Amino acid sequence: ILNVEQSPQSLHVQEGDSTNFTCSFPSSNFYALHWYRWETAKSPEALFVMTLNGDEKKKGRISATLNTKEGYSYLYIKGSQPEDSATYLCAFPMDSNYQLIWGAGTKLIIKP
Amino acid sequence: KAGVTQTPRYLIKTRGQQVTLSCSPISGHRSVSWYQQTPGQGLQFLFEYFSETQRNKGNFPGRFSGRQFSNSRSEMNVSTLELGDSALYLCASTQNPSSYNEQFFGPGTRLTVL
């Protein structure tokens, strides 16, 4: 059974501080790794789809890295702002049929 | 371009009843996936439809079913509702099934079973 794990489960960060969290996934049969942000009362929204080992993607103050050999991805947020408060989800396609297996998410709360 | 829409947004049913939820994908998107989200759980995959065919199915009982129409709109049906079916049901669309395509989510339907 494939499993995608995220840590920590929740995180309180002071506004202005930088933070990061982890997504672990099976390292065999890698296809892609997805990151989504889910703000309260909104729909999940894609941040990154990462495909290559060593890949690093950036969107504003948010960036992500990928290590397919050891099966993890880090999401970094630089200079956290209140609008970064959300649950961050990662998902892993279990096979070439594309069915995504989702982690339980990291809930990020930014303290003003 | 209009986003993914889901109707209804909220629904209250009693045990034993059945319910139908609807999802309209982004125009041009032919793949629709359905997920269940309960407190403390990640998104649990229900099923995925592409070109009116069910491509994948998650580990849910047969009470959960779905279909897709020729215009790519999709419905999911839950029969003989149980209390544990109370959840947020999300649908997501993408142009074509692929490990590399991001999914676009609707606002969800909040189902409460009493």
Side-chain angles (χ1 to χ4, degrees), chain A residues 31 34 36 43 97-98 102, chain B residues 35 55 98-101 103 106:
Chain A
Y31 294 96
H34 294 227
Y36 289 76
S43 310
N97 271 331
Y98 175 53
W102 293 80
Chain B
Y35 296 94
R55 271 182 15 104
S98 165
S99 296
Y100 315 112
N101 288 344
Q103 293 194 326

Side-chain angles (χ1 to χ4, degrees), chain A residues 90-104:
Chain A
C90 67
F92 177 79
M94 67 180 291
D95 54 33
S96 58
N97 271 331
Y98 175 53
Q99 182 185 326
L100 291 177
I101 305 297
W102 293 80

Side-chain angles (χ1 to χ4, degrees), chain A residues 5-22:
Chain A
E5 298 191 357
Q6 292 188 248
S7 62
Q9 196 172 4
S10 66
L11 198 50
H12 288 72
V13 173
Q14 198 69 41
E15 182 178 351
D17 286 353
S18 297
T19 187
N20 67 84
F21 28 93
T22 309

